[in-house]
Amino acid sequence: MRTEVAIVGAGPAGLLLSHLLGLAGIESVVVETRSQAHVAARIRAGILEHGSVEVLTDAGLGARLRAEGHRHRGIYLQWPHERHHLDFVALTGRGVWVYGQTELQKDLVAARTAPVFYEVAGTRLHELTSDRPYLTWTAPDGTAQRLDAEVVAGCDGSFGPSRAAVPAGERRTFERTYPYSWLGILAGVAPSTDELIYAWHPNGFALHSMRTPAVSRLYLQVPAGTDPSDWPDERVWSELALRLGDGERGWRLTPGPITDKSVLPMRSLVQAPMRYGRLFLAGDAAHIVPPTGAKGLNLAVADAALLARALTAALRERRWDLADAYSRTALRRAWRSTHFSWWMTTMLHATGDPFDAELQLSQLRWVTSSRAGATGLAENYAGLPLAP
């Protein structure tokens, strides 16, 4: 087989890149290790920045998002006995949208025109420093496959083969692992809040989010290595009620049936550069952020939009200037998002150190009482403009 762009990974970054390239008349083929059902069912991010919604709308992918998603003006920041609303629209003119990654994945699958090969095994990337790179893999029926291309896009997440295809001497990896995780639950109950609640508590951080008017998404800070079975449903709801301030100021947390329970490790990782020869990395293949700042999915959208423009110029106009600048431009955004995610994480997660606790409370009071502090959080959360 031959195509112009070989894409490794059929998650949001890979399918969006394929879609954007298709709009520009550029052929692509996507290969994915997992099954289509597995990729579609992954419960991940649920917040889209203002700029991400613009990218999706311009690409013809915004109809269901705008009909079924929920636009939020801001978030609540909370600590014991206090809750403050930050109105992003009033501060910056930009809000965010609640729209689950599973829903965006459905939109991308429905809109796809390029071939996608699922459940492939042993994907390898070859001749990346030549002008004729190619992929090899084994199909589900056991046959060996080869795909020749002009460019390879690695959109296969943090554990795929693309990142590792960059030789050790050609890459730098920056990583931080946090000493806590998130216990995430999906509950079949209407959200108890109109917008997300980020809560600092001595027992640990808690977040009240949502997926639909009938489905709530909630998180609790737990020690790294926690087993979800250590948290029966009754314990989950009891701790959420405590950390979220159930009963304070007349607000009530409504419990309901828990349909999914999992533990999410917290880490930051950036690999640089995001290009090696004809290989370009995008999304989680290049960077991982803790979910506190709601940046992972949005970085994937930004990378795909930036890379699509660069490859369109390279393959249609034979101008490689945007491709040459891709890594540098994408990394600036990745590091800004990494810093913001670190800042939100360290402000809100309990460490057990009284000194840290007083610093965190001081920071929360400043952010919620200073227009400058609130605007800084709002600018980063709602999303900086996409690079030209």
Side-chain angles (χ1 to χ4, degrees):
M1 292 181 288
R2 179 176 293 279
T3 192
E4 291 180 281
V5 180
I7 300 174
V8 187
L15 289 188
L16 178 57
L17 176 60
S18 176
H19 180 79
L20 295 172
L21 291 173
L23 293 177
I26 295 173
E27 294 180 350
S28 64
V29 172
V30 184
V31 298
E32 167 62 50
T33 301
R34 305 284 193 172
S35 69
Q36 182 174 350
H38 176 90
V39 176
R42 287 185 294 200
I43 300 172
R44 297 283 180 88
I47 302 296
L48 288 173
E49 297 174 0
H50 178 88
S52 297
V53 174
E54 289 186 326
V55 168
L56 296 169
T57 300
D58 291 346
L61 298 165
R64 199 166 71 91
L65 187 163
R66 292 183 178 275
E68 300 181 18
H70 299 274
R71 186 171 185 259
H72 284 192
R73 293 184 63 93
I75 62 171
Y76 295 99
L77 283 180
Q78 175 181 307
W79 57 97
H81 314 302
E82 293 201 39
R83 180 181 294 169
H84 299 266
H85 185 248
L86 272 61
D87 189 327
F88 298 164
V89 176
L91 291 164
T92 69
R94 301 190 304 275
V96 296
W97 286 76
V98 174
Y99 194 65
Q101 179 172 315
T102 51
E103 301 308 308
L104 177 57
Q105 189 74 17
K106 292 176 187 176
D107 297 338
L108 290 166
V109 169
R112 75 171 182 84
T113 56
V116 181
F117 295 93
Y118 289 96
E119 298 183 77
V120 307
T123 303
R124 297 185 62 188
L125 291 67
H126 307 270
E127 302 294 337
L128 297 174
T129 57
S130 75
D131 59 0
R132 286 293 180 267
Y134 65 95
L135 306 180
T136 58
W137 69 87
T138 302
D141 64 3
T143 59
Q145 304 290 322
R146 171 172 168 154
L147 174 64
D148 291 273
E150 294 187 55
V151 170
V152 175
C155 307
D156 48 340
S158 57
F159 300 108
S162 297
R163 177 190 295 168
V166 182
E170 301 290 338
R171 67 176 188 260
R172 293 187 68 192
T173 302
F174 306 86
E175 188 169 10
R176 171 157 297 176
T177 301
Y178 297 88
Y180 34 72
S181 298
W182 278 10
L183 174 68
I185 73 161
L186 205 62
V189 61
S192 303
T193 178
D194 57 334
E195 295 185 337
L196 277 69
I197 303 172
Y198 285 77
W200 181 94
H201 191 276
N203 282 20
F205 169 73
L207 172 62
H208 191 325
S209 182
M210 63 280 291
R211 283 294 177 267
T212 73
V215 177
S216 296
R217 183 70 165 149
L218 305 107
Y219 299 93
L220 287 167
Q221 176 188 343
V222 294
T226 291
D227 186 335
S229 65
D230 293 336
W231 284 82
D233 294 3
E234 183 179 352
R235 183 186 180 192
V236 169
W237 288 114
S238 174
E239 193 64 22
L240 283 167
L242 175 65
R243 298 188 195 183
L244 290 170
D246 180 39
E248 294 185 11
R249 300 170 301 279
W251 180 83
R252 305 298 311 194
L253 173 69
T254 303
I258 294 176
T259 58
D260 183 82
K261 195 182 300 178
S262 60
V263 172
L264 176 67
M266 303 281 282
R267 65 180 180 132
S268 297
L269 183 147
V270 179
Q271 179 164 307
M274 290 172 60
R275 178 190 180 184
Y276 173 68
R278 290 291 182 95
L279 169 64
F280 296 82
L281 301 178
D284 287 359
H287 37 66
I288 302 290
V289 290
T292 325
K295 290 288 160 257
L297 178 57
N298 293 291
L299 277 174
V301 171
D303 286 352
L306 185 66
L307 185 53
R309 288 196 291 267
L311 296 183
T312 298
L315 300 177
R316 284 294 170 267
E317 303 171 29
R318 293 298 161 184
R319 288 195 304 110
W320 286 85
D321 55 315
L322 295 180
D324 292 339
Y326 167 72
S327 177
R328 182 172 62 254
T329 305
L331 281 170
R332 282 201 298 268
R333 189 181 193 88
W335 276 115
R336 172 90 301 276
S337 296
T338 298
H339 177 268
F340 177 66
S341 300
W342 165 86
W343 182 76
M344 288 283 286
T345 300
T346 54
M347 178 173 67
L348 289 162
H349 287 74
T351 67
D353 185 330
F355 187 83
D356 288 347
E358 292 301 328
L359 289 179
Q360 291 167 329
L361 290 170
S362 176
Q363 180 119 304
L364 285 164
R365 293 186 189 105
W366 172 70
V367 168
T368 55
S369 63
S370 161
R371 186 174 181 87
T375 301
L377 190 154
E379 283 182 347
N380 284 276
Y381 196 106
L384 301 173
L386 293 179

